[in-house]
Amino acid sequence: MKRNKPLPRRTRLTVRKPLERHAPIEAAASLARVTPLAPVSRKRRAENRERRKVVTATFGDAPGCAAPGCGRLADDVHEPLTRARGGSITDPSNMVPLCRCCHDAVTLGPTWAYDLGLLRHSWDGGDAA
């Protein structure tokens, strides 16, 4: 049996003393914010106000669910072309009233939602269904 090269000797680990701070840490101002961060930006708040007005003007106070076979009142307004895909939350042609149950089902993205026009691909254009 042929022997391989001998393993190199392990070098000893040298024990070094811990690092020491030469300059003292100065007391800084408090890290707490004087004004808390807003949960919603001013721009988004303005968009949401405009959206509520457009939804009420377009669908009234109690719209029905737009999903076929569902007779419930709509709880949500769904955007077939999402903001991430270039849609607007204030464009009435990009709004479909849906009940919460149907909205949850549509949001999962089944193919039937695309067939009914409840979801749109960004490459299909910005025109409403």
Side-chain angles (χ1 to χ4, degrees), residues 29-34:
S30 173
L31 296 177
R33 283 186 58 92
V34 175

Side-chain angles (χ1 to χ4, degrees), residues 63-75 97-103 112 118:
C65 181
C70 182
R72 299 184 190 124
L73 291 176
D75 299 316
L98 294 174
C99 67
R100 181 64 46 94
C101 182
C102 293
H103 195 204
W112 60 264
L118 299 174

Side-chain angles (χ1 to χ4, degrees), residues 64-96:
C65 181
C70 182
R72 299 184 190 124
L73 291 176
D75 299 316
D76 300 327
V77 177
H78 174 70
E79 303 93 25
L81 188 61
T82 63
R83 286 179 282 200
R85 295 177 175 174
S88 171
I89 66 169
T90 58
D91 180 15
S93 64
N94 192 34
M95 295 181 182
V96 178

Side-chain angles (χ1 to χ4, degrees), residues 49-78:
R49 274 194 304 270
E50 184 182 345
R51 177 183 167 88
R52 278 191 292 275
K53 290 178 187 175
V54 170
V55 167
T56 304
T58 305
F59 302 114
D61 290 332
C65 181
C70 182
R72 299 184 190 124
L73 291 176
D75 299 316
D76 300 327
V77 177
H78 174 70

